[in-house]
Amino acid sequence: MRTLKRIVSLFFISCFLLFSIVGCGSKQDTESSNGKDDSTAKKDETIELRFSWWGGEARHEGTLAAIDAYMKENPNIKIEAEYSGWDGYYQKLVTQLAGQTAPDIIQINYNWLYDLRRQGKFFTDPRDLQDIIDISGFSQASLDAISVDGELQGLPTGLNAVGMIYNKEFFKKNNIPEDIDYWNWDNLIEVGKRVHEADPNQYLLNEFPNSLTSLVDMYLEQQDKEIIKGDFTLGVNVDELTEAYEYVQKLFDNGVIAPFEITALFQDKTEQFPKWLNGEIGMFMQVASVVPALSNNFEVGVVRVPLKEGAKSSGVSINATNIFAVNDNGKHKEEAAKFINWMLNHEDGINVLKDVRGVQSTENGRKILLDAGIVNPVISQTIDIASKYPGETSNEAELNSELKKIKYQYIEMLGYGELSPSEAASEMLEVLEEKIKELQADN
């Protein structure tokens, strides 16, 4: 009997051990197999991303280098670059977004945000991808500036602000002081007139139609006025706008600004503008990000914009240079987010992209480039000057593309001599008022 019990006990112990071994083995095999399969699948699966941006040669070269470096680190990621100049980029993007054929990663301009958001929800809020994208290094102000109705539309690629970028040789030749705080609206005309009279081929200042529109906004903001307020009401009357346009007329009449007839063809192609390349233009009111394009032929510096005595605001806003956005309809949003995070937060990405989209938005990014001596000092100085003389952040009405187009059209008609300052002011305010009514009716 004792022998039988021992046999039965041994049988059950053997069975228990056998099942334990088999069971453990199966579990280990399953975990190993799943882990291996998942890893292999992720590693071997080729993820194809499309990335679109606009810019000049320096930006193209830097961004292509970033793509190459990222693909070397991530062999399963293939990124197709879709890049161009400024002209036509927005129109193409709108068509792609509407047709759901837009790239996975998209460079967008901050002043398109409201218009695009009204057309649909196209971009993924980076806060929904916080496990992948680190947004802790971005200031809240920089994030607020690219949010619409509380939705963050992407991440700022860099900071940008307007400054008066000047040709050092031109200034020296014409005995113009390089004092950062030198310029006001009166001596701009005085010096510009002297420069043009000394040589009719040269002009102190060049402004294309779009930047001249900004100059008018700046001129008015320094008087605590704005053409369109944030609540979509007019903020100036005909007399006030006429006075601003009369100032612009003086710039043309005195040869301070080069005529549109010889400049308009090169709008947004500054690096190709012959008179600038030939050293016949003294200054541009331009954003810091274009400094590399302006300094190919000679050394440039920066001074602050003309400032009215006693002005509370310079009218210069510090904005995101561009925004990297994740296409909300993309197939690989997480992989797109990883690439954006690498470009904006990873030391390798920051070092490759350098300052092709302005001064880095994060403190860490700026430190990396400053330590490496990569940040263009003129770009950094432009941001510093703008920070010293800050203006108001652009409101939705100021960024509305239809309203901006009207302002642009009337500055063109003024510049080409088709309308007098008073005619341009009166007609434009009427047209703006009608357009505002249409916009409000649509909403």
Side-chain angles (χ1 to χ4, degrees):
M1 189 65 184
R2 292 175 61 184
T3 302
L4 179 61
K5 285 182 178 179
R6 184 177 301 166
I7 292 172
V8 171
S9 298
L10 288 171
F11 173 78
F12 281 111
I13 290 171
S14 298
C15 288
F16 174 77
L17 291 173
L18 177 62
F19 284 124
S20 297
I21 292 170
V22 171
C24 289
S26 297
K27 184 179 179 182
Q28 287 174 345
D29 288 347
T30 301
E31 286 179 348
S32 175
S33 176
N34 285 344
K36 185 178 180 181
D37 287 349
D38 287 346
S39 175
T40 301
K42 288 178 181 177
K43 186 176 180 181
D44 292 345
E45 181 186 1
T46 297
I47 304 293
E48 295 184 355
L49 300 174
R50 293 165 54 212
F51 177 17
S52 68
W53 73 88
W54 79 88
E57 285 304 315
R59 179 176 295 176
H60 296 333
E61 290 175 7
T63 311
L64 290 171
I67 290 173
D68 287 343
Y70 188 77
M71 290 196 299
K72 284 180 182 175
E73 289 186 16
N74 301 273
N76 65 317
I77 303 297
K78 304 298 179 189
I79 301 175
E80 180 182 349
E82 300 180 8
Y83 56 98
S84 66
W86 168 267
D87 289 346
Y89 180 91
Y90 178 70
Q91 291 75 13
K92 180 180 179 181
L93 175 61
V94 169
T95 301
Q96 289 177 322
L97 290 170
Q100 298 191 359
T101 59
D104 302 276
I105 305 145
I106 306 169
Q107 176 182 301
I108 54 178
N109 202 9
Y110 76 94
N111 58 8
W112 302 340
L113 292 178
Y114 287 98
D115 286 347
L116 290 175
R117 184 60 188 91
R118 299 298 175 233
Q119 295 174 48
K121 185 181 186 311
F122 297 128
F123 311 118
T124 301
D125 189 326
R127 291 170 296 195
D128 295 336
L129 298 165
Q130 283 202 64
D131 290 342
I132 299 171
I133 298 182
D134 180 7
I135 64 172
S136 62
F138 298 87
S139 70
Q140 190 57 48
S142 70
L143 299 180
D144 289 343
I146 59 171
S147 296
V148 178
D149 297 337
E151 295 175 4
L152 189 55
Q153 302 299 300
L155 287 176
T157 62
L159 300 178
N160 214 354
V162 163
M164 304 299 282
I165 313 299
Y166 67 91
N167 177 339
K168 283 180 169 285
E169 292 179 13
F170 185 99
F171 268 37
K172 184 177 180 180
K173 173 185 171 185
N174 289 281
N175 297 314
I176 302 172
E178 297 187 53
D179 181 353
I180 287 175
D181 299 320
Y182 177 71
W183 296 100
N184 58 52
W185 299 104
D186 293 330
N187 66 19
L188 185 69
I189 289 181
E190 292 167 6
V191 175
K193 183 178 179 181
R194 171 173 64 80
V195 164
H196 189 60
E197 287 177 347
D199 180 353
N201 289 319
Q202 64 179 14
Y203 298 88
L204 173 63
L205 184 64
N206 183 68
E207 296 299 338
F208 297 122
N210 57 358
S211 59
L212 191 54
T213 303
S214 300
L215 186 140
V216 171
D217 290 335
M218 191 180 299
Y219 181 88
L220 289 167
E221 188 172 326
Q222 292 183 15
Q223 303 176 51
D224 295 327
K225 299 181 179 70
E226 51 189 350
I227 296 177
I228 310 168
K229 296 181 180 178
D231 61 358
F232 283 84
T233 59
L234 296 180
V236 292
N237 58 38
V238 173
D239 291 341
E240 291 166 338
L241 187 56
T242 297
E243 193 275 327
Y245 281 170
E246 285 175 343
Y247 180 82
V248 171
Q249 189 68 60
K250 287 181 185 175
L251 295 177
F252 283 114
D253 292 345
N254 289 284
V256 180
I257 293 184
F260 283 167
E261 285 84 353
I262 61 174
T263 64
L265 284 176
F266 298 95
Q267 180 159 286
D268 303 314
K269 300 174 184 173
T270 308
E271 69 276 13
Q272 301 173 23
F273 183 37
K275 291 192 80 64
W276 176 257
L277 297 176
N278 294 335
E280 296 176 325
I281 299 288
M283 288 194 294
F284 264 104
M285 189 185 78
Q286 284 283 351
V287 290
S289 58
V290 304
V291 165
L294 291 175
S295 56
N296 284 334
N297 285 20
F298 37 72
E299 189 178 2
V300 301
V302 58
V303 293
R304 68 153 165 70
V305 299
L307 196 64
K308 178 183 174 63
E309 186 177 358
K312 297 177 182 176
S313 167
S314 67
V316 176
S317 302
I318 300 178
N319 297 307
T321 50
N322 305 129
I323 299 156
F324 282 155
V326 174
N327 181 357
D328 204 46
N329 289 313
K331 292 181 181 177
H332 305 292
K333 290 191 282 189
E334 292 189 356
E335 292 300 335
K338 288 178 184 176
F339 180 48
I340 290 176
N341 187 63
W342 182 84
M343 288 191 288
L344 299 183
N345 286 317
H346 195 283
E347 185 170 355
D348 290 345
I350 292 169
N351 276 322
V352 174
L353 275 181
K354 300 185 175 66
D355 57 355
V356 296
R357 288 179 176 82
V359 178
Q360 288 284 324
S361 296
T362 65
E363 286 188 15
N364 182 53
R366 290 195 289 276
K367 185 176 185 306
I368 289 171
L369 295 187
L370 283 170
D371 290 347
I374 290 173
V375 172
N376 186 311
V378 178
I379 293 178
S380 180
Q381 194 176 10
T382 305
I383 301 300
D384 291 343
I385 293 172
S387 301
K388 185 179 177 182
Y389 301 96
E392 299 292 330
T393 301
S394 301
N395 62 53
E396 180 180 359
E398 290 171 329
L399 296 178
N400 181 279
S401 60
E402 293 183 80
L403 298 177
K404 288 179 69 172
K405 184 178 180 181
I406 292 170
K407 291 161 67 177
Y408 175 90
Q409 289 171 334
Y410 277 89
I411 207 72
E412 269 198 323
M413 287 189 275
L414 177 66
Y416 283 116
E418 297 170 6
L419 293 175
S420 70
S422 61
E423 290 171 337
S426 176
E427 288 186 22
M428 190 183 81
L429 290 180
E430 287 183 15
V431 174
L432 281 175
E433 198 162 24
E434 286 301 314
K435 178 54 69 175
I436 288 171
K437 288 179 182 176
E438 286 180 23
L439 294 172
Q440 291 174 331
D442 291 341
N443 291 330

